[in-house]
Amino acid sequence: MDTKRPSRVKKFLLRRVPVVSWLPQYSADKAISDLIAGVTVGLTLMPQGLAYAVLAGLEPQYGLYSSFMGCLVYMVLGSCKDITIGPTALMALMSYKHVVTHGPDFAILLCFLTGCVQILMGILHLGVLIDFISIPVTVGFTSATSVIIAVSQLKGLLGLKFSSSGFLDTLSQVVQNLHKARVSDSVLGLTCICLLLLLRKVKDIKLSGSDGK
């Protein structure tokens, strides 16, 4: 019985704490690759986190906190290496109304309770519930979220200053205050959008070699 206990403990740790299995096999080559990937992702994640914090009605530093804290925890407890951990536009948008009403402390409490629910769902193996959500529902949900986020950013894109509470109210306020739009902000925003769209096409450019092939 005593000889079986260490084996059971080891299996439990390998299953519940994945870092125990891959850390002994970690090499310098993997560290260099992870360093390059970390710098690349970090340069993207920092401004993205700042933007998501503003979208959620929080101070920008909260976006940085949420960007790296989840990664540190998932490094130890995560079981999938191909996954994104951090804030998203949808979470920020859903938190905005509550943050404006109750303050930043409510956002921290909301994050904690969300983690508790996720842990409970993991213990009960409720991930199978995702199979009952059809693709049209997912596509519709994603498309609606994109429209809501785009409308919520019109105020900043046009340089307008007003307070709103919801999709229709924001759209109405934008139309009513359209004559107050700042040309410089609008030009800068539209230029950045066009630049980003052009950069997406860079990957499709095929450069010919010296032999013309």
Side-chain angles (χ1 to χ4, degrees):
M1 182 66 66
D2 294 336
T3 58
K4 293 182 178 180
R5 178 173 296 180
S7 178
R8 292 179 179 178
V9 173
K10 183 178 180 180
K11 290 182 179 179
F12 177 81
L13 290 177
L14 291 176
R15 186 171 64 253
R16 300 301 181 185
V17 189
V19 68
V20 178
S21 62
W22 60 261
L23 188 59
Q25 304 173 1
Y26 202 66
S27 62
D29 293 336
K30 292 182 179 179
I32 295 175
S33 300
D34 287 343
L35 178 62
I36 297 173
V39 172
T40 304
V41 174
L43 292 176
T44 304
L45 193 60
M46 284 190 292
Q48 180 178 279
L50 296 175
Y52 287 161
V54 175
L55 184 61
L58 295 166
E59 294 294 328
Q61 62 267 23
Y62 286 94
L64 296 179
Y65 300 154
S66 61
S67 297
F68 69 83
M69 285 304 299
C71 298
L72 293 178
V73 175
Y74 194 82
M75 178 183 67
V76 178
L77 302 177
S79 58
C80 178
K81 64 182 181 66
D82 302 314
I83 192 172
T84 301
I85 301 296
T88 62
L90 178 59
M91 289 192 298
L93 191 64
M94 294 177 66
S95 305
Y96 174 78
K97 184 176 181 180
H98 304 288
V99 171
V100 172
T101 305
H102 303 287
D105 293 340
F106 190 85
I108 299 174
L109 177 61
L110 184 63
C111 181
F112 173 75
L113 294 178
T114 302
C116 292
V117 172
Q118 289 181 337
I119 292 175
L120 181 61
M121 293 184 69
I123 294 174
L124 299 177
H125 300 285
L126 296 180
V128 69
L129 294 177
I130 198 68
D131 295 334
F132 295 97
I133 302 177
S134 63
I135 295 179
V137 172
T138 304
V139 173
F141 179 76
T142 306
S143 301
T145 303
S146 302
V147 173
I148 294 174
I149 293 174
V151 171
S152 67
Q153 296 304 299
L154 286 177
K155 178 176 66 174
L157 178 65
L158 300 176
L160 301 175
K161 294 183 178 180
F162 58 81
S163 58
S164 59
S165 58
F167 173 78
L168 294 178
D169 187 29
T170 301
L171 195 58
S172 175
Q173 292 284 356
V174 168
V175 174
Q176 294 177 10
N177 294 275
L178 193 58
H179 62 282
K180 299 180 182 179
R182 300 177 60 179
V183 178
S184 57
D185 290 354
S186 303
V187 171
L188 178 61
L190 293 175
T191 302
C192 291
I193 292 175
C194 294
L195 182 60
L196 289 174
L197 293 176
L198 289 175
L199 289 176
R200 292 181 59 183
K201 299 297 182 180
V202 172
K203 63 181 178 62
D204 299 327
I205 299 177
K206 297 181 179 180
L207 300 177
S208 59
S210 57
D211 56 352
K213 296 182 179 180

